[in-house]
Amino acid sequence: MAYIDLPEFEEMIPEIQDKARPIMEKTGSLGEIFKLLALDKKVYFATDNMVQGYLLDETLLSYDVKEAIALLISKENSCKMCVDVHKNIAKMLGLSEDKIEEILQGIESMSVDDKDKALLHFCVRASQKDNYKMTKEDIDKLKALGWSDNEILEAVAIVGYFNYINTLSNVFGLGA
């Protein structure tokens, strides 16, 4: 139960209702994070643009890598609601139950190559408060493994998104 009152569908502005309607038709309900974001039109649409652009659209990074980042950062930030939501999204994007559980066991438990593990470790490190201590050498190590500047930027943008959405969820007690 959220720590503040969240709007129901009928209380949302028409532009947000238009986005909510297909979700409600498909799932039967709206999650608390959707309702929280619906409190403010600018916050809602800025967040929706990030979700569409980083996570749902095809990008340089595979859905497997993007969802691994989502799950790892949400777990790192102790955002149970986000972990649960992204377990379901990962399934919808084709990840198996076993693969999802493997991710949640930690990077070293994952059956991915060293290149992917290095990026995922980098992302977890980038999510932490002292990420200002990261250096050019950290990025150069990823580039030496074959990651492009654009792929690294995208990965860090996804990390930033999850730090943002995990903070909203945790501060407002969503899924608690």
Side-chain angles (χ1 to χ4, degrees):
M1 181 86 162
Y3 301 153
I4 62 173
D5 293 331
L6 300 176
E8 293 302 325
F9 176 81
E10 300 76 25
E11 302 167 294
M12 295 174 188
I13 64 170
E15 297 95 331
I16 295 176
Q17 285 180 340
D18 290 343
K19 291 285 198 166
R21 194 169 284 106
I23 297 168
M24 289 185 60
E25 289 170 357
K26 186 173 184 177
T27 66
S29 66
L30 293 175
E32 286 183 319
I33 193 70
F34 190 102
K35 293 178 181 182
L36 177 70
L37 297 170
L39 285 170
D40 185 288
K41 178 180 177 178
K42 287 183 179 183
V43 171
Y44 175 83
F45 283 103
T47 306
D48 187 60
N49 283 335
M50 286 188 281
V51 169
Q52 294 299 322
Y54 295 155
L55 301 175
L56 300 178
D57 288 349
E58 276 193 41
T59 63
L60 296 171
L61 298 178
S62 70
Y63 288 120
D64 286 14
V65 168
K66 292 190 285 189
E67 281 305 313
I69 295 169
L71 289 163
L72 289 165
I73 302 306
S74 295
K75 184 177 176 194
E76 180 78 14
N77 289 333
S78 300
C79 186
K80 182 185 177 326
M81 186 210 66
C82 294
V83 169
D84 290 343
V85 166
H86 278 276
K87 284 167 76 172
N88 289 328
I89 291 172
K91 285 180 206 169
M92 288 181 354
L93 293 172
L95 275 73
S96 69
E97 285 276 345
D98 290 343
K99 177 76 172 172
I100 293 165
E101 288 309 313
E102 187 179 272
I103 293 166
L104 292 172
Q105 292 301 312
I107 297 165
E108 293 308 316
S109 298
M110 295 173 63
S111 55
V112 296
D113 62 24
D114 289 342
K115 178 183 176 187
D116 284 0
K117 283 184 181 183
L119 181 69
L120 296 172
H121 279 295
F122 176 88
C123 288
V124 169
R125 177 72 185 87
S127 76
Q128 298 170 349
K129 289 181 182 180
D130 65 347
N131 58 12
Y132 64 91
K133 294 180 180 177
M134 296 180 82
T135 65
K136 181 180 183 319
E137 287 76 27
D138 295 315
I139 292 171
D140 287 344
K141 288 177 187 174
L142 292 177
K143 290 169 72 170
L145 290 169
W147 293 106
S148 71
D149 291 343
N150 289 4
E151 289 169 322
I152 297 167
L153 173 60
E154 183 181 326
V156 174
I158 293 168
V159 168
Y161 171 78
F162 278 94
N163 276 347
Y164 158 74
I165 207 73
N166 296 162
T167 298
L168 288 174
S169 180
N170 288 339
V171 167
F172 290 103
L174 306 186

